[in-house]
Each structure stands twice: as structure tokens, then as C-alpha cells.
Amino acid sequence: MDKKMLQRTRIFIYLVIVIFIVLLLRLAFLQVYRYEYYWARAEKNRLRILPITAPRGEIFARDGEQLVTNRPGFTVSLVDLGQGYNENTITYLSRLLAMDEAEIWQKIDSQFYRRYLPVRLKTDVSMETVSKIAERRLEYPGVLIEVQPIRNYVHGKFLAHVLGYMGEGVVPPWVEEHWEETGYEYQQGEPVGQAGLELAWEPLLRGEDGGIQVEVNSTGQAIGEFERVEPKPGHDLYLTIDASLQLVVEEALNETVEDLMAGNNRYAGEAAAVVLDPRCGAILAMADTPVYNPNTFSEDFPILEQDPHRPLVNKVIEEHYPVGSTFKMVTAMAALQEGAITKEGRVFCGGTITRYNATKSCFRGTVHGSLNILQALQRSCNIFFYEMGLRVGVDTLAHYCREFGFGSPVGLTDIFGEKKGIVASREFKRNLYQEAWYPAETMDAAIGQSFHSITPLQLANYTAMVANGGIHYRPYLVEKVVDCEGNLVMVAEPEVLHKMEVEQAHWETIQQGMSLVTTPGGTGARMADFPVKVAAKTGTAQVVGRDGSIPAHSLFVAYAPFEEPEIALAVFIKHGEDWRGSTSLPVARKILEAYFQIPTD
Amino acid sequence: MFDRHLLKNFDYQLFLLVLLICAYGLLVLSSATRGVAGDDPFFYVRKQAIWIAIGFGLMLLVVSINYLQFYRVSWYLYAANLVFLGAVLFVGKEGVGAYRWIDLKFFDFQPSELAKIIIIITLARLLADIEEEKPKNLAVMFPFLIHVFIPMLLIFLQPDLGTALVFIALLFGMLYMAGFPWKNLLALAGAGLAVSPLLWLRLHDYQKLRLLVFLNPDLDPLRYGYQLKQSMIAIGSGGLVGKGLYQGSQARLQFLPAQHTDFIFSVLGEECGFVGALVLLVLYFFLIYRILKIGSLSKDHFGAFICVGVATMILFQVLVNVGMVLSIMPVTGLPLPFMSYGGNSLLLNMLSIGLVLNVGIRRHKIQF
């Protein structure tokens, strides 16, 4: 090594010496000069961090009605004062809080890495428990009462499936992955949204926890506050839901289902309805029955789980059903656009039709005579649509189903879990039964029977598409997001997912047909006296049962006002078509009355 | 390939120093982690001991290969390094908000650790290749800057600010030893300072907070500020001779979230006091001294530069880690060499020492 390098090596070593001396001086300062001070602080080192849970964002309806808020609740926690945890204290708490000692120890163990934080044992304890602990504070050091926000669903079961609920459980793995990708960190074991908006909007609803760095005394009470970091409350959601309309929908569904069940219809018990704005996709009301009460979800869970009508399932999006004749606008559009019939073209209904060795009859054996497409829709003639189905074929029919948004989720992302449903097609049958499609089955498919299975949301979206001339808007529930200071974080923008390319005149034809449904002679003639002109379609979805006497599902879709549609709706009453006739129509009528503020008679 | 005569020049002192520091580290680790892993109180100690054993094996393996072989393959090493660092950004495993690891099933490989030694080797070659007179010229510096900045940028993107800073230290340490004039190095430092505000803007909020929190712990009282305060209480309360191994009250309460990794020095300070800390720093001093000594005896510039690089790396990490724990340096999360728990950093340090020993035993041009 040359001389210059040797010299530089020497300088390097001097630098090392200087650095080490600096470090040693600092060490000496802390360990020798300031020893007493730090020794005293370590001796009574009870510097702890008490986390302050951020209040979760609140949820409001479009009219400002408060739906979800937070109320203060008491949480019992245990803090390590430096001597570990006292067996007596644990025994005492286990009795007082009705928890197993093992459970308490497990909670303590799960926080081993962060022992300077209190261990939360039980949230939302009663005032009585709090006063008992306060009385015996000196006997059981380290027991802490914290005030934490508890989620409060103001109207109990109202809008429950949309709102969701909170729990300390885990979230579905795909949600967790999604959050990881978007950089949202959530702590296992902390309360987290479990369904509905609470789950899907968790990252925005949850705020940022704060905390206090405090010194606690020998009984665990905070003495003198040190540093405090205020929690950041979560963002508030303002929904597209019209609370008063939603209330009408929920009450109508509940009454209907209760009536059916009281009338010895042992199949009834579930129903769903959705109201959309066909001009943008905003969901004004979205209800189903039965639901859970999010305030008491965990206590009720064992019962909810057993309920045959599945209150845990949001039937508007997570369930799909046969929809019967409400399907016929699909066949009508396929036939018109593919040239299988014109607006004036007529078909003769003699009550039955026999093709491909299969004889099928019109609904309850009715004979309609000669009718055009408008009359066929008005009276829901099966023979007419069997004929149309055969003229266009199953593949074309399936294509139009997909055009109308069937067979895949319609795009609601404000809550998770939307099902795709089923479109009757050759592929579907082949995959299910490994069997070829029979031409006669095309007839069933053309009137909404066969394998078709559609979610109530898909049905409402399809009705909205008929109303607005084929535009598929993404349905949405959250109108805007506002932060805790009132700043706008996000405003919903209508999003067109698909636009059907068909002749404008065909829309008008189908719309006209639907408007005739609510006139005398139409299947919805009970709406004839309604002051606003309503376009609608009835549906009766037969369900094949062993004894054949199972009541059909009752369906009703509608939009109004006919000339300038503002709302589109779908009502589904499971097994709701018994000897009394349609039960979905009265529900739809109540919804329309509420929306147009028409006094009921 | 391996000549027994080479053993004559094996630097037993350096080897012994590493062994001592590792043993010291295990002792402190056993205190820092007692009770943490549930049923097995020696879970971390055992794992670390296995890494140390593997590390010594690796060290001897590196010693047996003539270091000039590394000179030959240096460009392949550099390319492989970039591939690893690029890969970690895509297939990396997340931990504490950064993508630093590649999951190899049996081992979470951290390419940024390996990158340090690869940059030492490749930069040493680049510097050894320039002629004696060249360093005077300011423009000659640019290839070296680019050489170091590319991997540094990739590490910065992970983001791992601490490791990225090690590269700056390496650059200065090695350029200095290669004979670049003071004024050139100062110009470089000045340019670095001039662009640092731009870098500051690119930092995440938590990184900024970590860099500033040592100036005022109350900036972040719930995390790093709290951690630093507790670290100071731990060290200060250790006094001259400490509270005795396994007797630290701060350590027992797990006050320091990373007390077995980045904050191991505060456990040492609490339990072994000033004397214990002094012993460790003296060991580090002699370690660095021996490395520089071996470098000064090297038969070629390549070997000398490798030794300087390794010495710079260890010095910088000791300074930044101990400085952080003593709250005179920003929180950057660099491990303490041979002391902090963790396989990647340990293996890398062992490899580096292996290279230095290698330079040492082949210091004569002709061996009999």
C-alpha cells in the first residue's frame, strides 16, 4: 500500500476514535451524570399508553336522517404495573365479567409484545360493573375503566343488510387481500365491519386511533397527563337511501310476509324489494326480510343462524330466484330487434301450443285470441312469448339476458356479496346435466321459467334499463363521503356500465306495452286508478314441488312516471302468490304511493 | 485451491473479535427475548445461534476462495444484485409497511443486505481499475456515483432509508481511500445536500417523523417518541455497572417494541451498564481497526478497498444504531452488526468478515 493510502487509513482511524468517543460521552452523560434521574424514572416506570379509539364515521340517509352513530360505552382493561398480573385480580374479574380465567389469560398473552398497552377485556359493560370496580379500586390494582365509542344503529333493524354490523371476527380473505393492496392496515382482534357498508367502507369509516402517554400510579390510575394525540374520527357516509321510503318498503314487506305466514302459507317468510333512480342508478330503497338487529348481532347469532328464512343473507343481492313473467320484456326486445315480429305483428293464442312434441298452455288455461306484442305484454300471454322464443332461439335469448345485466353482478360495490344469478343457456345446461338443450325448453326460457335465476337487484336494474332506454348504470348506495371537519371527500358520479345498441322505437313499444299492464284488462289492473301513470309487469314464478301445490313466487316490476321515469322498482315475495293472488302488487303500490305522496284510501 | 500455508496469515484476532461480539450478542439477546416466545424461552437465542453457526461456515467458505475470483465475476454480481433488488419490489413480502423480503420458504431473503457487500466488491474493482493519476479529475467520479445510486434508488423505493444511507457512507469511505482529493469529496457532499430537500419531499410521512423524532420525542408520543424515551430510561437507569443480566425492569416489560433487533443496545445498557457498553464499543473499535490493518497490508488495491468498504459499513451501522438508541441520531432502523437478532444482517456481516480474512491470508504475492 502506498504512502498516501497509509496516511488516509490513519486519518480514517482517527475518525473512528472520534466517533466512538462521542458515543461514549453520550453514554456517560446518560448513565453516569443523569443516572439518578433515569434510575428514579425506571423505578416507578409507569409510563403507559392508553389508546383512544377513534369514533367511527357516522352514516346518514339522503335526507339527513341519522342511521348509525356512536355512543360512549365502558371498557374494562387491565394494565401491567410492572409486577405482572395478579392472580387474585384475574379471579375477581373473571367472576365480575363472567369470563373464563383462561380467556382472560389468553387475551393477556395475545398482547405480549405490547405490554405497555392495557389489555382490553370486555367492552360495553354495565354501569353497575363500573361502580363495583371503582369501589374496590385499591384492592385490585391495574384494573382500568376506559370510555370507548360503541357502534349504535339508531333504528335497530332498519336498513340492517345495507348497513351491516361490527364484530371482532375476521374478514373474508379476499377482502383482506384487497385491503392489503390498497394499503389499509387492520389489526386482528380489533372491531371491524362484518357486512354491508360497515365492511365495504371500513377503510374510510374507521378513523385513526389516538392515545395518551400517561404516568399511572400504583393502583393504575393515571396521574398527570403527558402527551395526548387526539384520535381522528372516521369519515361520514351520506347514502342515496330515502329513509322514509325505505321505511315504507320495509313495513310493507314485513306486513305482507306476516300476513302470508298467518294465513297458513307455510312456505312464505322471505321477501325483497329495491327502488332505483333509472336516471343515475342511485338506490333509493333496498329492503328484504327477515333481517338481524346489528346492535345485538353477536348475542342473537345462535338464533339467527338457525332461522330457516336466513336473516344473515341479504336477499336483494346474495340470492337469486326465478322471476316468471317479469322476464318477458327480454323476449320482447329480442323478438323486435331480431325482426321476429313487428309492433303490429299478431299471434293467435288458443290457450295451448304444441311444438316439438311438447304441449304448453297459457297461464291458467286462458285463451287470449289474436294479439300483438302490446297486448301480449298487457295480458302476459304465454303463447305469444313461447312463439317469440322459438322464433329467436335460445342463444339469442341468452344474449339479450346478458345485455340486460342478467348472469353477472350488476356492479354494486358499495356493499359486497352480489351474486351473478343464472341465464338459461345451452352451456349452463351442459355444465349442469351434461345434456343437450331441447328446443321445447326454449319456450320455457322465453317466459322466464327454465333455469333463469335473477337477483332482485338485477331485476330492478333491468326495469330501470327498460325505463331509460337501455342504459345500465352502476347501482350505488353512497352519495357522498364527508370528513369530520365537514369537507367533502367523495361525491358519487353516475357511471354507465353498458348501453344497449337497439332500435329506439323498440324501447317505446315495450314501454307502451308495460304501460298497458296497469290499465283495465291488464294483469296489473289493480293499479288502474293510480293517479300517476305507471308502467309495470307482473310475474308469477311457478316452483316445482313434489305435490305441485307450492305457492308461486309473486313478482312485480314497475317504473313511473311513465313519461319521465324517476323511479324503477322490483318487488319479490317468496311463495307470495297463493289463493289471494299477487301480494307483490300491493307492496309496489304502497311504494309508489309513498314516493309520489299520494294519500292512501 | 486451498493451501495450508495460507493459514499462517489467518488473522486470528479478527476471527476472535467476531466470535466475542457474537457471544456477547447471544447473551444480551437471551435477556431481551426471555418469555416472549411462550413455551420455549430460548426460541430466539437458538435461532440466532444457528445463524451464527451458518455464518461462520459461510465465512470460512468465502475465505477458501481467492478473493481475486470476486474481482473477475464482479459484473455478474452487480447484475444479479439489480435483479434481486428489482424482484423484491414486485414479489417482495410486506413487513412493517415496506417490501424488503423475498420468501424463500425456509428463509426470508433480504436482498438489500446482500447488496451492501456486492457494492463493496464491485466498487472496489472499479476503483482498483482506475490509474493512479485519475482521481484528481472531478469527472472521474461520475461512474462511481451512478454505480452506487442505481441499487441505492431501488432500496430507497422499498422503502428502506437506513440501508440506502449505508451506500452513501460506502461511497464516501471508499472514494476517500482511493485518493480522491478532499475538495472533490466536499463538492460531492455539497451536491448531495443540495438535492436532499427533493429527497425529503419523496419521503413518507412516517419516515419524516422517524428522522425528526429524536430532536423532539413529543412529535410522536405514541410510537417512536415513546420508544426513544423508554430507551433512554433503560440506558440511563443502567448506571455504571448495570442492573445485572436478566434484571432489567425496562426489558422485562417489553417496553421497546424492537428490543431484540434494532434496540438491543438499550437492553445491554440497562443490564450491563456503562462498563458493559464500553466493552462492546471497544470490541467494535478493535474489529474496525483490524479490518483497516488487514487492508493496509493487502498486496493490491482491490483487497484494500474491500477492507475499507467493510470497515466503513460496520462503523456506519454502529454509529447510526447506537446513536439512534442514545437519541442523538434519527430513527432509521439499522441493525447493530453481530448483535441484533436477524439472519440476513448476520450472514452478510459474516460474509464481509470472510472477505477481509481472505484478503489477509493472501497478502503475499508468492506463497511457499
Side-chain angles (χ1 to χ4, degrees):
Chain A
M1 194 182 249
D2 53 58
K3 218 168 149 195
K4 188 176 174 190
M5 261 169 107
L6 276 177
Q7 190 205 340
R8 289 207 164 194
T9 306
R10 211 167 297 129
I11 295 174
F12 194 109
I13 290 171
Y14 295 151
L15 177 75
V16 179
I17 292 173
V18 169
I19 286 174
F20 277 69
I21 285 176
V22 168
L23 291 178
L24 283 171
L25 283 177
R26 174 69 175 173
L27 263 175
F29 171 77
L30 294 176
Q31 298 193 292
V32 182
Y33 182 72
R34 298 271 279 163
Y35 169 62
E36 316 251 295
Y37 167 76
Y38 283 117
W39 184 83
R41 283 194 70 180
E43 198 48 23
K44 59 174 179 79
N45 192 337
R46 299 200 174 100
L47 204 55
R48 297 291 184 277
I49 286 175
L50 305 180
I52 310 174
T53 309
R56 232 173 135 78
E58 301 186 328
I59 304 180
F60 300 89
R62 77 159 47 204
D63 39 4
E65 177 76 29
Q66 195 167 41
L67 304 176
V68 187
T69 170
N70 305 290
R71 62 175 169 79
F74 296 105
T75 298
V76 179
S77 311
L78 202 54
V79 65
D80 185 342
L81 296 170
Q83 291 88 35
Y85 298 100
N86 185 315
E87 296 274 349
N88 283 338
T89 311
I90 306 279
T91 315
Y92 168 70
L93 284 176
S94 117
R95 250 186 308 122
L96 190 68
L97 304 174
M99 291 170 79
D100 280 345
E101 280 185 41
E103 197 184 335
I104 296 181
W105 282 114
Q106 196 212 326
K107 291 206 176 203
I108 291 172
D109 286 346
S110 69
Q111 210 170 294
F112 212 95
Y113 272 112
R114 289 173 289 159
R115 274 209 276 188
Y116 53 90
L117 291 174
V119 182
R120 283 180 181 151
L121 297 182
K122 193 157 194 173
T123 51
D124 205 19
V125 299
S126 68
M127 197 59 217
E128 198 192 338
T129 312
V130 171
S131 53
K132 271 188 192 158
I133 289 173
E135 275 165 29
R136 310 183 70 175
R137 173 190 300 177
L138 296 175
E139 265 173 84
Y140 300 108
V143 182
L144 214 67
I145 303 286
E146 296 176 88
V147 178
Q148 266 195 298
I150 306 283
R151 206 61 165 155
N152 180 23
Y153 301 87
V154 182
H155 305 294
K157 288 181 163 185
F158 183 72
L159 201 62
H161 277 152
V162 170
L163 299 175
Y165 59 96
M166 298 293 293
E168 276 171 30
V170 285
V171 296
W174 72 268
V175 175
E176 208 169 339
E177 262 170 47
H178 172 68
W179 284 349
E180 232 166 67
E181 279 165 26
T182 53
Y184 174 67
E185 287 174 41
Y186 104 101
Q187 296 249 312
Q188 249 165 8
E190 299 247 312
V192 62
Q194 295 288 297
L197 295 164
E198 293 277 29
L199 173 65
W201 288 80
E202 163 79 23
L204 285 184
L205 283 169
R206 166 185 236 117
E208 233 174 82
D209 289 354
I212 322 171
Q213 198 192 83
V214 292
E215 188 127 15
V216 289
N217 67 15
S218 57
T219 60
Q221 305 311 304
I223 45 167
E225 214 169 271
F226 280 150
E227 290 301 322
R228 188 185 169 96
V229 174
E230 291 301 332
K232 264 193 222 145
H235 296 337
D236 295 340
L237 305 185
Y238 284 80
L239 306 186
T240 56
I241 295 287
D242 177 334
S244 48
L245 188 67
Q246 174 77 18
L247 187 65
V248 170
V249 181
E250 289 191 10
E251 280 178 351
L253 289 181
N254 287 335
E255 279 168 24
T256 305
V257 167
E258 276 164 29
D259 274 359
L260 286 168
M261 291 167 84
N264 273 335
N265 180 335
R266 62 191 169 93
Y267 299 98
E270 297 176 20
V274 204
V275 185
L276 288 175
D277 186 335
R279 296 165 298 184
C280 58
I283 297 174
L284 303 177
M286 178 166 175
D288 65 324
T289 188
V291 296
Y292 46 76
N293 181 346
N295 286 321
T296 54
F297 186 88
S298 53
E299 296 97 281
D300 302 344
F301 184 74
I303 303 166
L304 295 171
E305 202 185 20
Q306 297 293 319
D307 192 322
H309 299 305
R310 302 165 303 156
L312 301 178
V313 178
N314 181 351
K315 289 154 204 86
V316 179
I317 58 169
E318 291 174 49
E319 196 53 272
H320 42 86
Y321 306 95
V323 294
S325 300
T326 55
F327 178 87
K328 282 175 182 160
M329 283 80 82
V330 177
T331 312
M333 179 51 85
L336 287 168
Q337 178 68 20
E338 299 297 319
I341 195 149
T342 60
K343 189 179 174 186
E344 293 75 27
R346 301 184 87 81
V347 167
F348 183 79
C349 164
T352 58
I353 184 171
T354 303
R355 294 287 171 83
Y356 303 102
N357 297 327
T359 299
K360 300 194 179 276
S361 57
C362 214
F363 188 56
R364 294 192 182 121
T366 324
V367 179
H368 289 115
S370 163
L371 23 67
N372 62 20
I373 196 163
L374 301 178
Q375 293 159 323
L377 281 168
Q378 180 191 21
R379 301 180 196 168
S380 201
C381 174
N382 285 353
I383 305 294
F384 182 92
F385 288 100
Y386 286 144
E387 179 62 34
M388 293 304 114
L390 291 172
R391 286 189 194 171
V392 298
V394 64
D395 299 324
T396 305
L397 212 50
H399 168 73
Y400 279 88
C401 283
R402 297 198 178 94
E403 284 285 294
F404 274 111
F406 299 160
S408 53
V410 290
L412 177 66
T413 51
D414 289 340
I415 59 178
F416 298 148
E418 209 199 314
K419 288 271 170 29
K420 61 184 169 80
I422 300 165
V423 166
S425 65
R426 289 181 206 278
E427 304 84 68
F428 181 78
K429 190 181 178 193
R430 198 181 310 122
N431 289 339
L432 190 67
Y433 295 123
Q434 284 79 47
E435 262 182 45
W437 185 265
Y438 302 129
E441 286 175 298
T442 306
M443 296 200 278
D444 295 330
I447 63 157
Q449 309 261 346
S450 180
F451 301 110
H452 291 303
S453 197
I454 288 153
T455 69
L457 181 63
Q458 285 174 330
L459 199 60
N461 174 62
Y462 143 77
T463 309
M465 286 177 75
V466 175
N468 67 26
I471 304 172
H472 177 168
Y473 287 102
R474 182 191 292 284
Y476 64 96
L477 282 161
V478 177
E479 183 65 51
K480 60 177 178 178
V481 181
V482 175
D483 73 11
C484 64
E485 283 155 2
N487 303 316
L488 214 53
V489 176
M490 188 214 93
V491 187
E493 296 252 346
E495 187 185 347
V496 176
L497 294 181
H498 182 59
K499 169 104 174 67
M500 278 174 74
E501 297 299 332
V502 293
E503 204 66 47
Q504 183 59 29
H506 300 331
W507 289 118
E508 282 153 23
T509 304
I510 292 170
Q511 288 162 353
Q512 205 185 335
M514 282 179 78
S515 76
L516 292 173
V517 172
T518 57
T519 58
T523 52
R526 284 150 82 191
M527 290 290 294
D529 61 337
F530 200 77
V532 176
K533 193 171 178 188
V534 176
K537 184 72 197 79
T538 54
T540 309
Q542 267 129 2
V543 187
V544 185
R546 277 197 206 95
D547 49 4
S549 64
I550 297 181
H553 301 325
S554 178
L555 293 110
F556 195 83
V557 298
Y559 68 86
F562 175 69
E563 293 81 10
E564 293 283 328
E566 291 171 24
I567 63 167
L569 60 88
V571 179
F572 168 85
I573 314 285
K574 195 173 183 186
H575 301 298
E577 194 99 7
D578 57 11
W579 52 271
R580 279 163 291 209
S582 170
T583 49
S584 55
L585 186 146
V587 172
R589 186 179 177 116
K590 279 182 192 159
I591 297 171
L592 291 163
E593 279 168 356
Y595 183 84
F596 292 107
Q597 295 177 325
I598 289 155
T600 37
D601 30 49
Chain B
M1 184 160 85
F2 194 78
D3 191 335
R4 284 183 56 123
H5 290 97
L6 289 174
L7 280 178
K8 198 175 64 184
N9 286 329
F10 188 84
D11 194 309
Y12 292 103
Q13 285 189 45
L14 179 60
F15 186 81
L16 198 67
L17 281 165
V18 171
L19 201 63
L20 279 175
I21 298 177
C22 284
Y24 204 8
L26 275 183
L27 201 63
V28 180
L29 184 70
S30 71
S31 174
T33 59
R34 86 201 105 113
V36 169
D39 299 337
D40 181 359
F42 293 111
F43 176 79
Y44 288 98
V45 176
R46 190 170 300 139
K47 276 185 82 169
Q48 182 80 344
I50 292 171
W51 286 125
I52 290 174
I54 296 175
F56 275 111
L58 210 61
M59 182 200 281
L60 296 177
L61 189 76
V62 171
V63 170
S64 69
I65 305 166
N66 189 335
Y67 68 96
L68 292 173
Q69 300 289 338
F70 293 110
Y71 178 91
R72 282 184 38 216
V73 298
S74 109
W75 287 111
Y76 298 106
L77 289 175
Y78 190 76
N81 183 32
L82 292 188
V83 169
F84 289 144
L85 289 176
V88 81
L89 294 177
F90 293 103
V91 298
K93 194 164 125 175
E94 204 191 350
V96 236
Y99 293 89
R100 291 184 190 168
W101 295 272
I102 294 175
D103 189 353
L104 300 180
K105 299 301 164 206
F106 61 98
F107 180 49
D108 282 342
F109 169 52
Q110 193 181 342
S112 60
E113 286 290 340
L114 189 63
K116 293 179 198 168
I117 190 67
I118 291 183
I119 290 306
I120 290 174
I121 293 170
T122 56
L123 189 59
R125 172 177 174 162
L126 274 185
L127 289 169
D129 285 350
I130 56 168
E131 294 151 38
E132 291 289 313
E133 317 308 320
K134 278 263 182 78
K136 302 267 183 315
N137 188 345
L138 195 64
V140 175
M141 276 205 301
F142 284 106
F144 306 113
L145 299 190
I146 291 162
H147 184 85
V148 174
F149 279 164
I150 294 170
M152 195 176 119
L153 185 71
L154 291 171
I155 291 171
F156 183 74
L157 289 176
Q158 291 180 6
D160 183 351
L161 186 61
T163 308
L165 291 175
V166 174
F167 285 77
I168 295 189
L170 285 178
L171 185 67
F172 275 97
M174 293 173 75
L175 287 186
Y176 167 69
M177 206 53 86
F180 280 81
W182 279 104
K183 63 175 203 295
N184 287 6
L185 293 173
L186 283 175
L188 181 60
L193 283 178
V195 296
S196 62
L198 286 173
L199 206 65
W200 178 257
L201 294 175
R202 292 276 304 148
L203 290 181
H204 296 260
D205 283 343
Y206 81 93
Q207 288 179 307
K208 292 182 189 168
L209 203 59
R210 280 171 56 156
L211 289 179
L212 291 176
V213 76
F214 82 102
L215 297 173
N216 176 12
D218 293 340
L219 278 178
D220 186 25
L222 303 185
R223 284 173 304 174
Y224 304 115
Y226 181 83
Q227 204 172 337
L228 283 181
K229 272 192 194 175
Q230 293 291 5
S231 169
M232 307 253 282
I233 293 175
I235 290 177
S237 66
L240 199 58
V241 292
K243 298 172 185 171
L245 211 57
Y246 306 114
Q247 305 300 317
S249 59
Q250 296 286 105
R252 196 201 69 74
L253 270 178
Q254 302 286 334
F255 274 129
L256 305 161
Q259 67 180 21
H260 61 301
T261 55
D262 296 353
F263 277 81
I264 190 126
F265 190 81
S266 66
V267 177
L268 171 75
E270 182 183 20
E271 302 194 340
C272 305
F274 182 74
V275 173
L278 178 70
V279 168
L280 181 68
L281 290 182
V282 167
L283 287 174
Y284 276 129
F285 175 78
F286 281 112
L287 183 80
I288 293 166
Y289 178 80
R290 283 311 309 170
I291 295 171
L292 289 172
K293 180 90 187 160
I294 291 170
S296 72
L297 295 175
S298 166
K299 69 177 177 230
D300 52 29
H301 282 169
F302 179 60
F305 293 147
I306 283 180
C307 294
V308 169
V310 173
T312 307
M313 175 180 77
I314 292 176
L315 173 70
F316 185 76
Q317 296 210 171
V318 169
L319 168 69
V320 170
N321 180 282
V322 176
M324 166 187 79
V325 172
L326 298 179
S327 198
I328 51 171
M329 285 253 163
V331 178
T332 40
L334 279 180
L336 193 57
F338 307 107
M339 291 285 289
S340 288
Y341 174 79
N344 276 292
S345 122
L346 194 81
L347 292 187
L348 171 268
N349 287 319
M350 291 293 199
L351 258 171
S352 315
I353 297 297
L355 268 177
V356 173
L357 288 169
N358 194 333
V359 173
I361 61 172
R362 294 186 174 82
R363 67 176 176 237
H364 299 307
K365 292 197 173 155
I366 306 153
Q367 291 283 339
F368 294 101

